[in-house]
Amino acid sequence: MSSWPTGPRDVIIAIDATGAKTQSTHMTVTLPIYMDHMATTPVTHEVFEAMRPYFCERFGNPASRSHSFGWVAEEAVEQARAQVAHLLGCKAAEIVWTSGATEANNLAIKGVAAAYREKGRHLITSQIEHHAVLDTCRRLEREGCEVTRLPVDNSGRVDPTDVERAIRKDTILISIMAANNEIGTLQPIAEIGRIAKRHGILFHTDAAQYVGKLPLAVDDWQVDLLSASAHKCYGPKGMGALYVRMTKPRVTLVPQMDGGGHEKGRRSGTLNVPGCVGFGAACALAERELQTEPARLLALRERLRDALWSGLDYLRLNGHPTERLPGNLNVSFEFVEGESLLMALKGIAVSSGSACTSATVEPSYVLLAIGLNAELAHASIRFGLGRSNTEEETDYVAARVIESATRLRALSPLYEMALDGIDVKGGLRAC
Ligand SMILES: *Cc1c(COP(=O)(O)O)cnc(C)c1O
């Protein structure tokens, strides 16, 4: 089989509805193709232009109250705060700037645990949270808290009745993510919010993957704390926000960063003014695009899925078939070694179902939690579609994946046996 050209302009093979490679067309794609938008997103040019003046000219410290340099910076930061708040459906005063969703998660969970210590020491979360939540909970456990980690079903959903059953007299916080970064599954946040409210327990959601991708309102969800990250929605890295409810109830937090008492004492440190401006602009842009972009990404995702399923057998869709982020497709390719497939997809930026720790390659704990074995987890790929991706790119990626997986499977005796009807380690049927 001829190798794929790797030049900057590349002719792609069109795939018809049956997945058959039909004919060369004149569609072109530029390599490398970025299809990993759950890991990070580029700063949109419009966002960058909004940030630009706040580096060299409007460089003032928003905490400087005695001159116009400070006032100009403060005005920009407050406008940005209002833009973020508008997207979340909250008051500007309820937004605390942070260095990202990691810090927002730390501040929410540790801040609540410290502030409500007298009320209790029990927290409820799920097994598939981001490390920023899981590791924060683990640290609190070492410091005397108790944590219930709820399992998820095979689509990655937490059962709200499990949440209700886990509630104890000493439960102080429920923390469940809005959308999973690996499998894209959306959680029933509004249902969990109702339960939390009924029991008078604070509810935090890590919405780093959700904000800007789908519409949301903190009151519809009845969340009390919500974490967001700028670089997941076309803003700058190192910038995030925590929503902290001010009324009904008024949430109190013990700050985790001590210093000059910025952010009404909730998070000290001179603000990253260009970062705030960029996050605000990214939210305003995302809000405009919420009219069209989710539907466009959903169509692209279904196009990619249809193409893969017509061109290959023994695939498994990881995550929920419909309750998932529009741009997320996570697929296990049975009888294919994940790393080999990634290597074969040079020029296409996607993620695998493995996490490289310092010493070993571990299968994703999220994929294990939805019932995959380690082998299948390693044979998984996450496609993260975003603003830059086109139909041409989607078709090109599908064709490359089909070609590579087919080639790798041709070397697999297990795949041959499965085709002959031999039940290999209870493998997947074509599904
Ligand atoms: C990316 C991500 C985070 C971490 O956000 P940073 O801003 O990179 O610290 C936390 N939670 C989820 C679900 C994420 O996807």
Side-chain angles (χ1 to χ4, degrees):
M1 181 143 298
S2 66
S3 65
W4 288 86
T6 53
R9 305 294 282 177
D10 208 345
V11 175
I12 79 158
I13 303 295
I15 310 168
D16 68 20
T18 67
K21 293 177 191 175
T22 47
Q23 74 214 77
S24 296
T25 71
H26 299 292
M27 291 187 284
T28 58
V29 295
T30 304
L31 295 181
I33 292 171
Y34 188 72
M35 210 173 268
D36 202 12
H37 288 86
M38 265 89 248
T40 194
T41 57
V43 174
T44 300
H45 289 286
E46 179 181 333
V47 168
F48 179 66
E49 289 309 323
M51 294 171 69
R52 186 197 290 275
Y54 293 92
F55 287 97
C56 301
E57 290 98 46
R58 304 182 203 162
F59 59 85
N61 185 333
S64 298
R65 294 284 152 80
S66 54
H67 51 68
S68 65
F69 294 87
W71 305 333
V72 164
E74 195 199 8
E75 195 185 320
V77 163
E78 293 315 315
Q79 190 203 325
R81 200 190 299 276
Q83 287 170 314
V84 175
H86 197 265
L87 182 62
L88 305 182
C90 67
K91 300 192 239 343
E94 295 175 310
I95 296 296
V96 178
W97 298 116
T98 67
S99 63
T102 297
E103 188 193 335
N105 287 337
N106 273 263
L107 176 56
I109 297 169
K110 292 175 183 167
V112 163
Y116 295 82
R117 224 182 162 80
E118 297 312 313
K119 181 168 181 263
R121 303 268 181 105
H122 179 239
L123 298 93
I124 298 170
T125 187
S126 83
Q127 291 176 356
I128 64 164
E129 298 296 310
H130 191 273
H131 276 297
V133 168
L134 291 179
D135 293 1
T136 299
C137 288
R138 190 148 300 131
R139 181 179 300 276
L140 289 175
E141 262 178 336
R142 289 200 297 270
E143 294 170 358
C145 287
E146 286 180 59
V147 179
T148 300
R149 293 176 186 78
L150 298 173
V152 291
D153 66 17
N154 61 12
S155 73
R157 300 260 286 181
V158 169
D159 184 342
T161 61
D162 285 350
V163 177
E164 185 144 36
R165 254 185 260 131
I167 291 173
R168 316 192 317 204
K169 280 227 312 269
D170 61 342
T171 304
I172 51 169
L173 182 69
I174 298 167
S175 179
I176 303 285
M177 72 199 321
N180 185 269
N181 42 303
E182 290 189 41
I183 55 176
T185 298
L186 310 179
Q187 297 298 345
I189 295 297
E191 275 179 72
I192 299 169
R194 268 199 299 281
I195 291 166
K197 183 113 299 173
R198 190 163 354 109
H199 291 266
I201 296 167
L202 294 180
F203 181 27
H204 165 251
T205 188
D206 173 356
Q209 291 290 340
Y210 200 105
V211 169
K213 292 183 188 146
L214 290 168
L216 78 91
V218 292
D219 284 343
D220 292 349
W221 276 359
Q222 302 199 46
V223 293
D224 303 301
L225 299 129
L226 178 147
S227 302
S229 173
H231 77 97
K232 300 291 174 66
C233 57
Y234 306 91
K237 292 167 188 53
M239 193 65 218
L242 179 65
Y243 155 74
V244 185
R245 186 176 289 280
M246 266 179 22
T247 50
K248 296 195 228 165
R250 182 183 184 85
V251 179
T252 50
L253 289 177
V254 172
Q256 302 298 302
M257 188 83 82
D258 295 310
H262 307 76
E263 298 295 277
K264 300 202 177 76
R266 296 171 294 189
R267 197 271 194 179
S268 286
T270 300
L271 288 174
N272 171 0
V273 177
C276 297
V277 169
F279 195 6
C283 287
L285 185 56
E287 203 171 319
R288 287 209 306 274
E289 296 212 333
L290 279 177
Q291 307 290 332
T292 52
E293 188 62 1
R296 191 188 75 90
L297 289 179
L298 177 64
L300 275 190
R301 180 189 87 204
E302 292 305 296
R303 187 182 178 96
L304 178 58
R305 179 161 81 130
D306 289 347
L308 293 177
W309 259 255
S310 353
L312 294 165
D313 52 11
Y314 293 97
L315 300 181
R316 176 191 153 120
L317 174 71
N318 297 314
H320 198 280
T322 53
E323 291 295 306
R324 68 188 300 135
L325 290 171
N328 175 287
L329 188 68
N330 189 311
V331 182
S332 297
F333 299 82
E334 212 181 356
F335 309 114
V336 174
E337 214 260 305
E339 281 309 303
S340 313
L341 185 54
L342 272 194
M343 299 260 276
L345 297 178
K346 224 177 338 163
I348 300 173
V350 291
S351 279
S352 79
S354 315
C356 299
T357 59
S358 51
T360 53
V361 181
E362 298 285 343
S364 146
Y365 63 92
V366 174
L367 296 178
L368 297 183
I370 60 169
L372 273 66
N373 61 27
E375 200 179 344
L376 207 49
H378 283 305
S380 305
I381 289 191
R382 176 186 69 183
F383 302 90
L385 294 156
R387 218 175 256 169
S388 64
N389 295 127
T390 61
E391 287 188 350
E392 285 79 7
E393 288 180 335
T394 306
D395 294 350
Y396 174 83
V397 167
R400 282 280 302 276
V401 171
I402 292 167
E403 183 259 334
S404 303
T406 303
R407 186 165 40 77
L408 291 166
R409 280 177 175 176
L411 310 171
S412 161
L414 287 177
Y415 180 62
E416 285 301 309
M417 287 163 69
L419 289 185
D420 290 342
I422 302 165
D423 191 11
V424 194
K425 55 176 173 48
L428 291 174
R429 290 279 152 249
C431 59

